[in-house]
Amino acid sequence: MLVVVATAVVCLGCVSDVVTRIDVPGYPRCEPGAHGDLQTDERAVFRVTVNAEDAGQEILGFGASDCWSIQHVGQWPLAKREAIADLLFETGLDRANDPRGIGLSIWRFNIGAGSSRQQHISRSWRRADTFYNDDFTGYDWTRLPGQRWFLEAAEKRGVERLIAFVNSPPINMTKNGRAYCDAASGSTNLANGREADFATYLADVIEHFRKIEGIEFDVLSPFNEPQWDWEAGTQEGCRYSIADMKRVIDALAAEPGLAETEIEIPESGSILDLWMGEKYLEAFFGADSSTSVRGKIAPRIASHGYKTELPSTGLVTRREELRAALDRYPDLRYAMTEFCPLGSHGRGRDLGVDTALLVARLIHFDLVVAGASSWQWWLGVSPYDYKDGLIFIDKFIDGGDFYESKLLWAMGNYSRFVRPGMVRVEARRSDGASHVEMVDGVMVSSFYDPDRAILSAVFVNWSDETIPVSLEIDGLEIGAWIPYVTDAGHDLSPFASLPASRVAEIPARSIVTLVGHGHTREG
């Protein structure tokens, strides 16, 4: 039998003599209670019971992409880019014992198509370079310097999973010589017979970083939202039919330089097309499908979460349908690889808690209902008046100010304390609320690391009321929790350690993570 016991230690200089010690990078080593106390004598509205043996999916991590601003921000004055990199990737603590950053464990690196060498895409910040030289006869590895700086910064700060992703084949391989489609592109803008060339280019990039720069890309994502037509010319993009994608995947699988890199597909622009519409699940993973690519790609299917993030657009119901579809393929994992609000509620930069709560609620249901193994935001850094960034910047190529959002810290409630290798464990509520019933109230998810004996429970309180709750762990003995709070007045702020037997107040309009740690012994 495995028993987990909280460890009491004395820490000089702390507010309290007895604290919960967490000897893991990124976790506090002494009493952090400068920001307040969540203990209450109120009776719990409901009790949450976690069974650490009732395990769901393993978590691969949380991340964001370097599109499109990082090509410029990565060449800003060093102090500015270091500060931004710390906010995104750092797992350490400052002198006040506050988190220095949100500790992303995934970083997405865009391999561009070369649109920056043309004027066709009207928005210059959305153009991207390629590693080909000026005349496309060889490689120039000095290109993409800003992106490469942030890639190195991510690795130096311990980001565990690096993904190279592609929006369009290089412009020298497209039918129209551009990084987006037109009416004459047919089912894809990749020129006929260039699948092997495309695969070789991507393999050469991956091999260069591995052998020369010492950076290992764990995943290659060769497609992006392949079901859209990509004819607007506002950014790089390429459509593909299922047969088109099958030919590219076959070529990638034949590249020895990609033998150590997972291929992840299809980066669907909608979760619905996984089982409806394009039916990617059946096409790529069906036992009798002529376009099956099983054994050639990662045992995961990837999609974006757009336009289903509200209760009215299927926040819960569409994810229940997705889970039912995925359950027909029991050996297949699900990766949520891109999201930001779109449409009317996406307009207007929001540094406040409203967008943070909307996204935290979506993360909850992607993890708990859809069973996502990873969760990735769209723009790590945004120059736009839109709700698409974790960090926002002045739109200047040579440098400017940057602005933290509450969304940044809300994502940190997950990314800092739900680390790669942890497993989601079931959190049962005494009030019996269904997923649909809790969307406007309190949601809770829980994650366990049996190797380091860490359990993290993330509460999202959508409501305007403070909610007292109690948390019990079946089969484990946790002595105390350290709470981290993100709300209108706090940015992933550590509160006073909370005895596990006490009721905790979950503040109105907040995201709260309770972290518990002990040591293991056989008994």
Side-chain angles (χ1 to χ4, degrees):
M1 180 178 68
L2 177 67
V3 180
V4 173
V5 184
T7 307
V9 301
V10 175
C11 180
L12 296 178
C14 294
V15 175
S16 171
D17 288 336
V18 181
V19 299
T20 297
R21 183 180 178 89
I22 299 183
D23 286 316
V24 178
Y27 291 87
R29 287 171 172 76
C30 61
E31 177 65 47
H35 295 283
D37 191 340
L38 294 185
Q39 291 188 61
T40 178
D41 293 327
E42 295 289 329
R43 182 177 179 181
V45 171
F46 61 89
R47 182 179 67 257
V48 177
T49 304
V50 174
N51 183 348
E53 296 181 356
D54 190 359
Q57 74 273 23
E58 180 180 345
I59 301 300
L60 298 176
F62 295 82
S65 83
D66 71 356
C67 274
W68 290 284
S69 61
I70 295 300
Q71 62 184 309
H72 303 308
V73 176
Q75 300 182 80
W76 276 18
L78 182 61
K80 291 285 180 72
R81 56 181 128 132
E82 291 277 13
I84 291 171
D86 281 348
L87 286 171
L88 291 171
F89 309 129
E90 183 59 61
T91 59
L93 302 163
D94 64 20
R95 292 183 178 181
N97 221 24
D98 291 338
R100 292 175 57 197
I102 68 168
L104 292 180
S105 49
I106 298 174
W107 187 238
R108 298 175 63 87
F109 178 91
N110 178 221
I111 301 177
S115 58
S116 61
R117 307 185 196 184
Q118 302 174 330
Q119 304 297 313
H120 302 308
I121 292 177
S122 57
R123 303 175 185 181
S124 63
W125 278 62
R126 295 190 177 191
R127 301 170 190 160
D129 202 359
T130 172
F131 284 110
Y132 279 122
N133 59 15
D134 287 339
D135 60 6
F136 290 85
T137 59
Y139 295 117
D140 178 357
W141 300 113
T142 67
R143 292 184 179 272
L144 285 65
Q147 291 177 250
R148 284 171 39 232
W149 188 91
F150 263 86
L151 181 66
E152 293 168 4
E155 190 191 44
K156 288 177 181 176
R157 288 164 174 80
V159 173
E160 299 184 32
R161 193 170 185 81
L162 301 175
I163 298 174
F165 74 103
V166 181
N167 291 326
S168 166
I171 54 177
N172 64 316
M173 298 183 192
T174 60
K175 291 176 180 175
N176 60 11
R178 300 183 179 185
Y180 59 91
C181 303
D182 57 28
S185 295
S187 62
T188 183
N189 200 31
L190 177 62
N192 297 332
R194 298 300 299 273
E195 293 87 359
D197 295 333
F198 184 29
T200 297
Y201 170 69
L202 295 177
D204 287 349
V205 172
I206 298 295
E207 273 202 295
H208 167 81
F209 277 93
R210 177 189 301 126
K211 293 180 177 180
I212 306 302
E213 303 196 25
I215 294 177
E216 184 79 32
F217 282 106
D218 304 279
V219 178
L220 171 65
S221 173
F223 315 117
N224 177 66
E225 301 179 347
Q227 69 265 58
W228 308 144
D229 66 29
W230 293 111
E231 294 183 14
T234 57
Q235 67 183 75
E236 293 188 353
C238 186
R239 60 178 175 257
Y240 297 87
S241 70
I242 287 171
D244 294 328
M245 286 190 278
K246 173 68 162 57
R247 285 191 290 272
V248 172
I249 292 165
D250 288 344
L252 291 169
E255 281 288 342
L258 294 175
E260 300 176 28
T261 305
E262 289 187 316
I263 310 299
E264 189 170 81
I265 67 162
E267 296 271 4
S268 173
S270 166
I271 63 174
L272 304 182
D273 279 317
L274 297 185
W275 75 96
M276 300 168 59
E278 301 291 337
K279 296 185 178 179
Y280 290 129
L281 273 166
E282 180 181 338
F284 292 124
F285 298 98
D288 300 321
S289 172
S290 62
T291 54
S292 172
V293 291
R294 280 181 176 271
K296 296 181 179 181
I297 63 170
R300 285 188 307 279
I301 193 160
S303 78
H304 301 168
Y306 294 117
K307 298 184 179 180
T308 56
E309 70 268 28
L310 302 176
S312 60
T313 57
L315 171 64
V316 174
T317 56
R318 288 305 192 187
R319 281 159 184 79
E320 290 175 335
E321 293 170 3
L322 170 57
R323 187 66 255 165
L326 289 165
D327 285 344
R328 296 197 289 270
Y329 307 84
D331 58 341
L332 194 64
R333 293 199 233 181
Y334 169 57
M336 207 306 295
T337 51
E338 185 181 307
F339 177 77
C340 76
L342 294 180
S344 58
H345 70 292
R347 299 190 190 101
R349 181 181 295 189
D350 177 21
L351 303 180
V353 77
D354 288 347
T355 298
L357 281 165
L358 183 144
V359 175
R361 182 173 69 174
L362 176 63
I363 295 174
H364 169 86
F365 287 111
D366 275 330
L367 295 173
V368 172
V369 177
S373 59
S374 68
W375 203 95
Q376 297 155 51
W377 178 255
W378 173 216
L379 300 181
V381 179
S382 170
Y384 301 114
D385 186 22
Y386 208 79
K387 298 176 179 67
D388 56 357
L390 299 178
I391 298 169
F392 290 88
I393 58 168
D394 294 330
K395 196 175 182 181
F396 301 128
I397 290 176
D398 297 328
D401 289 330
F402 61 90
Y403 312 92
E404 302 170 22
S405 69
K406 290 293 179 183
L407 170 58
L408 171 78
W409 297 109
M411 190 162 175
N413 280 87
Y414 291 96
S415 58
R416 274 194 70 105
F417 304 119
V418 184
R419 302 302 296 172
M422 294 181 79
V423 294
R424 186 179 66 83
V425 290
E426 196 64 32
R428 294 185 173 85
R429 304 161 58 113
S430 62
D431 64 355
S434 68
H435 294 304
V436 171
E437 291 170 336
M438 67 180 72
V439 296
D440 294 324
V442 176
M443 295 138 271
V444 58
S445 53
S446 54
F447 308 86
Y448 183 54
D449 181 342
D451 294 328
R452 299 184 297 178
I454 295 172
L455 195 142
S456 300
V458 186
F459 293 81
V460 180
N461 186 1
W462 184 272
S463 77
D464 294 321
E465 299 179 2
T466 296
I467 307 295
V469 301
S470 63
L471 179 60
E472 300 176 2
I473 313 300
D474 277 352
L476 303 178
E477 189 175 340
I478 298 291
W481 304 100
I482 296 177
Y484 289 80
V485 178
T486 301
D487 61 11
H490 301 92
D491 296 331
L492 202 61
S493 301
F495 276 45
S497 59
L498 173 74
S501 60
R502 296 300 303 273
V503 173
E505 287 189 325
I506 308 302
R509 307 289 289 168
S510 74
I511 307 97
V512 176
T513 303
L514 302 182
V515 183
H517 181 236
H519 71 270
T520 62
R521 67 168 183 260
E522 299 297 329

